[in-house]
């Protein structure tokens, strides 16, 4: 039960950290209360977002903010009893979303994003699950010309600044790419450099199995038992390790706070439901309905409808009103059949106030490392994050500059 490193959290980020360390000759224990990939990494749109060089910002327009305040928007909802506690985080998030600050953040963030697809493809090939990766890109669709033109303007900027490829689709081109979408759309925007995943849970499970095949070990245990030493209690007994990595997603703030770190980590909750396609209808790409505020993604289980953001306490009861609101709109976009899940799935995204993950050593504890706060890009950045932190921990030259992601920035 003695290891070089114990990694807390078996989502996509934690699994990739453990895997990259094990590949470098470390003896690694991976600990979670559930099997790998069964919390936040279980429910998402399955996108590996090469185009996501600008992390998702907080809206700053007065009209948009007033719309969100009414708590009826399809893409953002909130629990009133959570807003007081969330206010400091949201205030800093809003400040960092100023265009000048957002552009500076993108310069630091883009080196991770630029490597997300290549790192995933390499890891999927080594794990023997390349078939789960779909190199078809994904598509935004528009119901109004104003939304279309605004999004194409952003895509043109991303192309100039970071080489993000895109294809503007007129109605005929969109019809050829997705013949079963409604014919009332006024166009689309295709990002061909991005990949998508047909089963995110299966992908994380495969990475975890590859980790085990290399000699890594997985344990069911509670992260709250972590104590300096580094020791963690599991169902198989107490693990002792020379170093520990906190990669607990939305639960990372609680774990780090127990060790004296007060970090501005917020939570964005989200929901999904699977549907059978009606009759012979087929969806070829993940589709974001920009005005509708939801994604439809073809998955192994069926068509997955994912919602936007819900601001709520991490442990608050589920309130899938957002899903109920967008489902009728989704049915006008694509012919969805019956629901395939007994109830909506819910998960939570861990978000920092400056939209960038925390990756690196903890400043006050020798042997303690942080790897969390990836927000909407956890699945996207899992493999490159795992590589980066493994390189730092083993003293290798790093693939990207890790300084922008250090915890000391807070």
């Amino acid at each position: 039960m003695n290891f070089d490193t114990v990694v807390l959290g078996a989502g996509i980020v934690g699994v990739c950290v453990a895997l990259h360390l094990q590949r470098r000759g470390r003896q690694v224990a991976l600990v979670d209360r559930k099997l790998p990939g069964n919390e936040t990494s279980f429910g998402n749109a399955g996108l590996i977002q090469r185009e996501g060089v600008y992390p998702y910002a907080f809206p700053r327009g007065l009209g948009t903010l007033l719309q969100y305040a009414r708590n009826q928007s399809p893409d953002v909802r909130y629990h009133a009893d959570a807003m007081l506690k969330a206010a400091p985080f949201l205030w800093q998030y809003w400040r960092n979303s100023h265009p000048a600050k957002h552009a500076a953040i993108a310069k630091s963030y883009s080196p991770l994003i630029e490597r997300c697809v290549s790192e995933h493809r390499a890891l999927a090939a080594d794990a023997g699950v390349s078939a789960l990766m779909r190199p078809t890109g994904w598509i935004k669709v528009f119901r109004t010309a104003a939304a279309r033109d605004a999004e194409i303007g952003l895509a043109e900027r991303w192309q100039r600044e970071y080489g993000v490829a895109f294809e503007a689709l007129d109605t005929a081109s969109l019809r050829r790419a997705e013949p079963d979408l409604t014919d009332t759309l006024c166009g689309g925007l295709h990002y061909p450099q991005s990949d998508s995943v047909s089963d995110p849970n299966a992908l994380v499970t495969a990475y975890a199995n590859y980790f085990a095949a290399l000699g890594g070990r997985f344990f069911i245990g509670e992260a709250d038992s972590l104590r300096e030493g580094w020791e963690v209690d599991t169902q198989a007994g107490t693990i002792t390790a020379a170093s520990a990595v906190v990669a607990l997603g939305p639960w990372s703030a609680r774990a780090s706070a127990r060790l004296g770190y007060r970090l501005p980590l917020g939570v964005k909750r989200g929901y999904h439901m699977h549907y059978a396609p009606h009759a012979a209808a087929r969806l070829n790409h993940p589709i974001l309905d920009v005005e509708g505020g939801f994604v439809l993604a073809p998955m192994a289980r069926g068509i997955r409808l994912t919602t936007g953001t819900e601001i709520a306490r991490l442990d608050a009861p589920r309130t899938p009103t957002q899903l109920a609101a967008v489902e009728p709109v989704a049915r006008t976009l694509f012919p969805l059949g019956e629901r395939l899940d007994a109830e909506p799935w819910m998960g939570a995204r861990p978000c920092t106030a400056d939209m960038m993950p925390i990756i690196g050593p903890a400043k006050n504890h020798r042997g303690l490392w942080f790897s969390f706060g990836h927000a909407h890009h956890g699945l996207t950045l899992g493999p490159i994050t795992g590589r980066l932190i493994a390189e730092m921990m083993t003293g290798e030259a790093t693939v990207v500059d890790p300084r922008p992601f250090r915890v000391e920035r807070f």
Side-chain angles (χ1 to χ4, degrees):
M1 301 297 285
N2 296 321
F3 292 85
D4 296 318
T5 303
V6 57
V7 177
L8 303 176
I12 181 65
V13 174
V15 167
C16 289
V17 169
L19 175 51
H20 273 284
L21 284 168
Q22 191 72 31
R23 290 174 72 170
R24 286 162 172 77
R26 295 290 181 94
Q27 295 302 307
V28 182
L30 179 63
V31 177
D32 203 322
R33 62 183 180 181
K34 293 185 178 181
L35 292 175
N38 277 277
E39 284 283 6
T40 303
S41 297
F42 185 87
N44 52 69
L47 300 178
I48 314 298
Q49 291 187 255
R50 168 61 183 86
E51 89 294 339
V53 288
Y54 275 80
Y56 290 98
F58 195 97
R60 293 180 60 87
L62 180 59
T64 303
L65 293 175
L66 290 175
Q67 178 184 351
Y68 286 157
R70 292 193 290 269
N71 210 18
Q72 297 295 318
S73 177
D75 56 336
V76 177
R77 296 290 177 95
Y78 62 87
H79 289 191
D81 62 358
M83 295 306 288
L84 182 61
K85 183 177 180 180
F89 165 78
L90 294 174
W91 168 246
Q92 292 298 326
Y93 186 12
W94 180 83
R95 291 187 62 196
N96 284 315
S97 298
H98 183 279
K101 289 187 176 182
H102 199 202
I105 287 168
K107 289 184 178 180
S108 298
Y109 192 64
S110 59
L112 290 179
I113 289 290
E114 288 166 0
R115 291 164 173 81
C116 66
V117 171
S118 59
E119 292 292 328
H120 254 294
R121 288 180 179 178
L123 211 54
D126 291 341
V129 288
S130 295
L132 294 176
M133 306 285 292
R134 299 177 297 202
T136 57
W138 66 287
I139 297 174
K140 294 181 178 181
V141 297
F142 310 103
R143 298 173 183 268
T144 65
R148 178 197 64 202
D149 295 345
E151 288 288 337
I152 289 176
L154 285 175
E156 290 172 343
R157 177 185 177 187
W158 298 347
Q159 185 179 65
R160 289 193 306 270
E161 295 178 352
Y162 297 106
V164 174
F166 73 93
E167 179 186 6
L169 304 175
D170 59 20
T171 53
S173 299
L174 179 59
R175 192 73 178 168
R176 287 192 295 270
E178 293 290 350
D180 290 314
L181 293 182
T182 177
D183 59 6
T184 62
L185 299 168
C186 67
L189 186 60
H190 179 217
Y191 287 110
Q193 292 173 308
S194 298
D195 280 3
S196 64
V197 180
S198 61
D199 189 335
N201 174 254
L203 184 71
V204 179
T205 299
Y207 289 171
N209 290 340
Y210 179 35
F211 161 73
L214 294 175
R217 295 183 62 187
F218 172 74
F219 298 88
I220 297 291
E222 280 293 338
D224 284 345
S225 68
L226 178 67
R227 50 196 177 271
E228 292 186 59
W230 295 97
E231 294 182 342
V232 181
D233 297 330
T234 74
Q235 291 181 358
T238 298
I239 289 172
T240 301
S243 58
V245 182
V246 176
L248 289 162
W251 295 275
S252 298
R254 185 177 68 188
S256 57
R258 292 180 64 251
L259 295 168
Y261 298 87
R262 298 289 186 265
L263 302 174
L265 197 67
V267 172
K268 296 181 183 178
R269 305 202 312 180
Y271 299 83
H272 83 225
M273 172 62 67
H274 290 98
Y275 303 81
H278 183 69
R282 180 179 177 85
L283 194 65
N284 299 317
H285 306 78
I287 302 293
L288 168 62
D289 185 328
V290 172
E291 288 110 322
F294 61 85
V295 173
L296 286 178
M299 294 283 178
R301 178 165 171 75
I303 306 300
R304 179 180 289 184
L305 169 60
T306 69
T307 68
T309 293
E310 181 185 66
I311 304 298
R313 301 190 317 273
L314 179 60
D315 59 351
R318 299 183 183 194
T319 52
T321 55
Q322 216 171 1
L323 182 68
V326 299
E327 181 182 303
V329 183
R331 291 185 181 279
T332 70
L333 179 67
F334 178 84
L336 297 173
E338 71 274 14
R339 287 186 169 193
L340 299 178
D341 302 326
E343 61 181 18
W345 177 90
M346 187 200 77
R349 310 174 187 96
C351 308
T352 63
D354 65 358
M355 295 162 275
M356 295 198 300
I358 299 171
I359 305 171
K363 58 185 178 180
N364 297 327
H365 291 81
R366 182 178 178 85
L368 180 64
W369 297 74
F370 292 150
S371 184
F372 52 82
H374 293 73
H376 298 265
H377 288 156
L379 183 66
T380 292
L381 296 178
I384 182 60
T385 296
R387 176 179 174 180
L388 176 59
I389 199 165
E391 288 170 343
M392 285 190 284
M393 292 181 70
T394 57
E396 296 179 34
T398 57
V399 63
V400 300
D401 182 1
R403 289 175 295 180
F405 313 109
R406 64 194 185 278
V407 69
E408 288 85 353
R409 72 185 192 268
F410 298 118

